[in-house]
Amino acid sequence: MPFDSSQNDDRHERLTLSAPVLQRLAGSDLIARGSVNIISTKAIRRWAGDWWDKKRVDVWTYVERKLAEHLDRADLRARIGEDDFLIAMNNDQGLAAQATSVRILEDVLTHLLGAAEPSDLGVRAVIGVEANGVVCRPIDAAVVLAARARRDSTRSPIRFDIDPLEETRRTPVAFTTGGGAALRVDFTLEHMISLRRNVATAVRIEPVVTHLGSGKQISARAVSRLPDRDAAFIDEAALKFAAVFARASQGHDRPDLIVPASFRTLGTQRGRDMLTGTSGLSLALLRGGVMMELVDVTRGTPAGRLLEVVGLLKALTRGVIARVPPEKEALRVLRDARLAGLTLDASDLSGPAEKIAAEIMAFGRDAKGLAPMVALQGLPAEGYFAAAETAGLTHAALRASHPIPATAAKKAVG
């Protein structure tokens, strides 16, 4: 992956590598996937001072021990000079790979210095290869630390540099359905946690629909059965809400943004025009970090039409996810769709704990191999994460509470 010098900025740094390590990186897609990072032990060297020459071998030995503890056997690791260690991960990329690098460095600093201050978490992402080495750029450790939170908050990794007023202007929204029911839609954010690395690699938007007359919340499955016109209104509002965060989801150092929408909406040219025509959602931003979640795929969805729509959406966005009911038949239409992910919503699970656990296990078994990400979303409690991991799922998410104060939400509706 040759480095484009036109991308240079003051944060870029060049490091020389040995020929074998350089050849291995140049012959792979690891850098393009955001799987290569460099951790620095400069904080330990500063602390050691004149003792560094005597202590450095012990430091290197301990770093190697932590690398072996956190990395797979096939992952590449190499010491670069006195202070730096390169880590190239085969099975993790982007924020997940960065989170592992930060965790390793935290363990090292805590053991040797007694604490790991955020300012000492020197991790750089490798972004290119040159003739004699690599080009790297520092990552913001604060984003990685925020991405560990399983519940959404005002310090979500996707809320960095976001104006809260822009968010409150777009949620909640109210409308009247074709049948005359007055509904309110509040948008929340859910952290999609990688069960392997315990970090949010994606943030998904979740519309919470409430019947204004009764104050009762409408289930996600019931929302998916609304008439086309009503579903399209919610989809359009979700896209406008997503536009606030689209720029914050770009690049390997930020989580992807997942936006739910009806297959019926995006299956039409008008719906896809709405996707690309929403202010703040340029084609570059859509392709750079926005995935669409089709929320109403069932066993009755026409397989041929689904494959066609998924193909069209993949050309416009970073990828497509399908939310499916807990039915094996619903997965049959997805076998050739080449989706980025499959997800089961917790609101579709009911009954005693044994029945819910059995459905989670069945979903994990039936969805295996159909998509890189297989997730359980909208969970009521963290205890379900263990069940998701046992079932072989890759991600899980807790249903988020809206972080915007209720008074601001009421004022926005008014």
Side-chain angles (χ1 to χ4, degrees):
M1 178 183 171
F3 179 67
D4 182 359
S5 60
S6 66
Q7 298 178 359
N8 283 356
D9 64 33
D10 293 339
R11 299 180 302 161
H12 290 165
E13 181 181 354
R14 286 163 170 78
L15 294 176
T16 301
L17 297 184
S18 65
V21 174
L22 192 61
Q23 290 171 3
R24 186 167 172 184
L25 291 178
S28 73
D29 65 345
L30 293 172
I31 295 177
R33 289 167 45 208
S35 300
V36 187
N37 296 286
I38 293 171
I39 65 173
S40 171
T41 59
K42 284 185 172 66
I44 300 173
R45 185 174 181 178
R46 287 195 302 268
W47 168 81
D50 295 339
W51 289 89
W52 175 250
D53 288 345
K54 296 180 180 179
K55 296 291 185 181
R56 61 183 179 181
V57 174
D58 292 337
V59 173
W60 295 341
T61 300
Y62 190 76
V63 173
E64 291 289 350
R65 184 191 307 173
K66 301 310 292 187
L67 291 173
E69 180 181 319
H70 287 276
L71 301 181
D72 295 333
R73 183 172 298 179
D75 292 337
L76 174 65
R77 71 290 303 266
R79 181 169 58 83
I80 307 170
E82 293 277 298
D83 310 313
D84 299 321
F85 290 79
L86 180 142
I87 304 170
M89 306 177 70
N90 289 292
N91 296 317
D92 290 291
Q93 59 191 42
L95 208 52
Q98 291 177 8
T100 302
S101 300
V102 169
R103 174 63 72 189
I104 292 170
L105 187 54
E106 276 184 315
D107 288 354
V108 172
L109 293 176
T110 300
H111 178 78
L112 297 175
L113 300 182
E117 299 296 333
S119 58
D120 291 333
L121 295 174
V123 179
R124 287 157 288 176
V126 176
I127 59 175
V129 172
E130 292 186 326
N132 298 317
V134 293
V135 180
C136 53
R137 181 175 58 202
I139 69 167
D140 188 348
V143 175
V144 176
L145 298 177
R148 290 178 182 169
R150 292 190 172 186
R151 284 206 182 274
D152 178 41
S153 71
T154 55
R155 293 297 289 170
S156 170
I158 210 166
R159 283 199 169 94
F160 279 66
D161 305 321
I162 294 296
D163 182 356
L165 290 178
E166 289 300 312
E167 186 175 350
T168 57
R169 288 190 187 106
R170 291 169 171 80
T171 182
V173 296
F175 73 105
T176 302
T177 68
L183 303 180
R184 187 187 78 196
V185 186
D186 295 86
F187 293 105
T188 70
L189 298 181
E190 292 185 2
H191 288 185
M192 297 296 290
I193 303 294
S194 165
L195 297 174
R196 175 179 170 84
R197 295 303 181 189
N198 197 30
V199 66
T201 57
V203 174
R204 64 178 299 275
I205 292 172
E206 173 66 12
V208 179
V209 182
T210 306
H211 185 269
L212 286 175
S214 64
K216 293 183 178 180
Q217 183 177 324
I218 302 174
S219 71
R221 190 56 57 186
V223 171
S224 71
R225 289 194 286 265
L226 287 171
D228 292 359
R229 171 183 172 275
D230 301 332
F233 180 91
I234 296 175
D235 295 340
E236 184 176 13
L239 289 170
K240 290 178 179 178
F241 186 73
V244 177
F245 305 99
R247 195 167 297 279
S249 67
Q250 305 297 301
H252 293 309
D253 57 346
R254 296 296 172 97
D256 291 329
L257 180 65
I258 301 174
V259 186
S262 169
F263 172 71
R264 291 169 292 152
T265 298
L266 296 179
T268 66
Q269 184 61 54
R270 182 179 179 182
R272 293 190 294 276
D273 288 344
M274 182 172 68
L275 169 63
T276 57
T278 298
S279 178
L281 288 181
S282 67
L283 192 58
L285 291 177
L286 288 170
R287 289 172 173 167
V290 178
M291 293 193 286
M292 299 305 301
E293 177 187 336
L294 303 177
V295 300
D296 49 1
V297 174
T298 67
R299 58 181 175 179
T301 303
R305 181 60 179 151
L306 178 64
L307 296 184
E308 179 185 0
V309 172
V310 169
L312 292 170
L313 293 175
K314 285 170 65 176
L316 300 174
T317 65
R318 187 171 179 83
V320 183
I321 295 170
R323 183 195 300 181
V324 295
E327 304 170 3
K328 186 175 182 179
E329 290 297 319
L331 299 176
R332 293 185 184 275
V333 300
L334 303 173
R335 295 202 173 276
D336 298 319
R338 306 183 78 174
L339 293 161
L342 285 173
T343 185
L344 177 66
D345 196 271
S347 63
D348 286 330
L349 305 175
S350 61
E354 295 82 0
K355 177 176 178 293
I356 292 176
E359 289 183 332
I360 294 173
M361 294 298 295
F363 175 64
R365 180 180 62 250
D366 297 338
K368 186 177 181 180
L370 294 182
M373 182 177 80
V374 181
L376 187 60
Q377 67 192 35
L379 293 170
E382 292 195 19
Y384 288 95
F385 277 60
E389 189 169 12
T390 301
L393 277 57
T394 64
H395 290 73
L398 292 169
R399 187 68 82 214
S401 300
H402 203 293
I404 306 302
T407 53
K410 291 179 181 177
K411 184 177 179 181
V413 171

